[in-house]
Amino acid sequence: MNDKIKLICPICATRLEQNGKTLVCKNNHNFDIARQGYVNLLPVQNKHSLNPGDTKEMLNARRNFLNGGKYMPICQSVTDAIQKYCHAKNPVLVDIGCGEGYYTSAFERECNAQCVGIDISKDGVKMACSRSKSIEWLVATASLIPVEDNSADVVTAMFSLLLQDEYARILKKGGLVVEITVGTDHLKELKQIIYDEVFEQHKHPAECGDKFEELMCEEHSFKMSLKNE
């Protein structure tokens, strides 16, 4: 476990300390570090289903696709924003909805960041462990992020919800949120092949609200060619 990233108990919100292969809080709630390196900080009472999040089939398909580099422009746009607006030398970065870890590991590599990857899918986090052994991989819910107040420099939300209160709680003063959401024409050509009728949707980023100030909002567009696989 990374000493610079302070985790909190998802049950009582007190600090977790490592004791061998277990994380323990002062109220004696304990969580084992799995053989792969992740920690499950999603108590049963915070689950809404038996196996929340993406399935193994979905995760494997996504990993195969992302490893092909088709979404590299998306990844690059986020790293560019972090490098431009975050001035910490080794930023603490919390990636919400990390899935199988593609983007999180890129942020660690490209931004020299100390990363925490969080996802509600245990299968996703387990897969993510193979991406990097130095990232803190956690099974947890974004509505109760098991990270101490005022401890992160950056929060990334890659196609996941922007939860203002929780993000503001864990960010340091002047901290940065980078949200990526799909555009109006996202995968439009694929949808036209799959569906009989494609309904027009007007997508837009979440409102900043009173917790954050908007530094920039950009729309990116790029084309890619896909084969039948």
Side-chain angles (χ1 to χ4, degrees), residues 143-195:
S143 61
L144 186 63
I145 302 171
V147 173
E148 277 197 342
D149 297 5
N150 309 311
S151 59
D153 297 290
V154 182
V155 172
T156 50
M158 305 296 296
F159 307 105
S160 60
L161 293 175
L162 196 153
L163 302 174
Q164 291 187 37
D165 290 341
E166 268 300 91
Y167 293 5
R169 177 185 67 78
I170 69 170
L171 278 171
K172 299 174 184 176
K173 185 177 181 180
L176 183 71
V177 175
V178 184
E179 180 204 10
I180 294 291
T181 189
V182 297
T184 298
D185 293 329
H186 181 64
L187 302 181
K188 185 176 181 179
E189 295 86 351
L190 264 181
K191 293 174 185 176
Q192 289 170 341
I193 296 172
I194 297 170
Y195 302 110

Side-chain angles (χ1 to χ4, degrees), residues 114-226:
Q114 305 168 62
C115 290
V116 181
I118 292 175
D119 202 281
I120 203 168
S121 169
K122 182 178 177 181
D123 289 327
V125 173
K126 192 181 294 186
M127 286 178 63
C129 291
S130 64
R131 293 278 191 190
S132 171
K133 298 301 182 185
S134 53
I135 292 174
E136 297 271 22
W137 300 111
L138 306 175
V139 181
T141 173
S143 61
L144 186 63
I145 302 171
V147 173
E148 277 197 342
D149 297 5
N150 309 311
S151 59
D153 297 290
V154 182
V155 172
T156 50
M158 305 296 296
F159 307 105
S160 60
L161 293 175
L162 196 153
L163 302 174
Q164 291 187 37
D165 290 341
E166 268 300 91
Y167 293 5
R169 177 185 67 78
I170 69 170
L171 278 171
K172 299 174 184 176
K173 185 177 181 180
L176 183 71
V177 175
V178 184
E179 180 204 10
I180 294 291
T181 189
V182 297
T184 298
D185 293 329
H186 181 64
L187 302 181
K188 185 176 181 179
E189 295 86 351
L190 264 181
K191 293 174 185 176
Q192 289 170 341
I193 296 172
I194 297 170
Y195 302 110
D196 294 332
E197 186 177 359
V198 178
F199 298 99
E200 187 172 349
Q201 295 179 307
H202 297 283
K203 301 287 189 178
H204 54 81
E207 297 292 334
C208 286
D210 58 0
K211 299 287 185 182
F212 300 103
E213 176 187 353
E214 185 176 293
L215 296 176
M216 57 90 86
C217 182
E218 295 180 350
E219 184 173 338
H220 293 257
S221 179
F222 63 95
K223 291 187 177 182
M224 59 185 172
S225 297
L226 298 176

Side-chain angles (χ1 to χ4, degrees), residues 54-63 121 123-124 127:
D54 294 338
T55 64
K56 288 182 181 179
E57 184 180 23
M58 294 166 66
L59 291 159
N60 281 319
R62 185 174 299 127
R63 169 163 285 197
S121 169
D123 289 327
M127 286 178 63

